[in-house]
Amino acid sequence: MVRAGLNTERLARAGAELADEVGFEQVTVSALARRFDVKVASLYSHVRNSHDLKTRIALIALQELADRAADALAGRSGKDALTALANVYRDYAREHPGRYASTQYRLDPETAVASAGVRHSQMTRALLRGYDLTEPDQTHAIRLLGSVFHGYVSLETSGGFSHSDPDSDVSWARTLDALDALLRNWPEEKK
């Protein structure tokens, strides 16, 4: 019998908490069952398998990040908006390392299109309009920003910058200065 109070949403939220505690890759239906002290089989009426659970965690994280980004970007443009968006990703990764890792989980196309990931792209496009970028350069810039944000945050959270000076906060600020300068002086496409 399923323990009273367990439902898909509660399990997904507990999975997100577990991801922050033990790492996203370690989250399984079995680990979640241990957390609730129930048999694994009792969870299968709520989540199909570990892939389904991880997808739900990713959707929670994408939504939380999009909500934070929308709040941070409101009324901002240019470098102020760029810095606000970048800091949302960095702060979220520090506060919720497992959830942040889940945002990189590969979603099937139908799920991805229905997720808050679309909002992330829309907000980044809105930010880039402040730099007068149009297509296809907006797409190139979105990919660049995502790569820099994720790459920096991943290296930083894994301790990659802890062994040398200057402090990673100084490098982060300089990285954002460099991105702002690049976006203001975006190179023309070579024909």
Side-chain angles (χ1 to χ4, degrees):
M1 173 184 265
V2 175
R3 181 170 286 181
L6 292 185
N7 58 45
T8 304
E9 177 66 20
R10 184 169 179 215
L11 292 172
R13 292 256 168 227
E17 291 170 12
L18 184 62
D20 287 339
E21 293 167 16
V22 301
F24 180 66
E25 291 304 316
Q26 304 306 314
V27 174
T28 63
V29 175
S30 296
L32 198 57
R34 284 191 298 277
R35 187 177 196 97
F36 285 101
D37 195 28
V38 297
K39 294 190 182 305
V40 173
S42 67
L43 299 186
Y44 286 123
S45 61
H46 303 293
V47 292
R48 291 188 303 273
N49 50 39
S50 290
H51 172 70
D52 180 37
L53 176 61
K54 287 183 173 186
T55 297
R56 291 175 188 283
I57 294 167
L59 294 173
I60 288 169
L62 288 168
Q63 185 65 52
E64 288 174 347
L65 257 173
D67 292 344
R68 285 185 181 199
D71 288 345
L73 288 170
R76 297 183 177 183
S77 64
K79 185 176 181 208
D80 192 32
L82 174 68
T83 300
L85 181 64
N87 286 336
V88 163
Y89 286 98
R90 188 175 185 222
D91 293 345
Y92 190 80
R94 288 173 163 176
E95 293 169 30
H96 300 290
R99 291 179 210 205
Y100 181 79
S102 79
T103 66
Q104 303 303 307
Y105 193 63
R106 188 179 189 102
L107 302 175
D108 66 71
E110 185 176 303
T111 303
V113 168
S115 78
V118 174
R119 281 181 63 205
H120 291 269
S121 178
Q122 291 168 339
M123 285 185 280
T124 306
R125 283 186 191 285
L127 178 156
L128 292 172
R129 283 194 293 275
Y131 288 100
D132 293 325
L133 291 180
T134 58
E135 281 302 339
D137 290 328
Q138 274 189 4
T139 297
H140 299 316
I142 288 169
R143 291 172 179 168
L144 172 70
L145 293 177
S147 298
V148 171
F149 296 166
H150 178 66
Y152 195 98
V153 166
S154 295
L155 288 168
E156 184 179 44
T157 57
S158 69
F161 303 139
S162 62
H163 61 279
S164 63
D165 287 327
D167 184 78
S168 65
D169 288 340
V170 174
S171 295
W172 180 248
R174 295 293 291 145
T175 298
L176 297 179
D177 288 343
L179 285 173
D180 176 61
L182 172 63
L183 292 171
R184 284 186 284 111
N185 299 289
W186 192 260
E188 298 218 7
E189 184 176 3
K190 293 180 182 178
K191 304 270 176 173

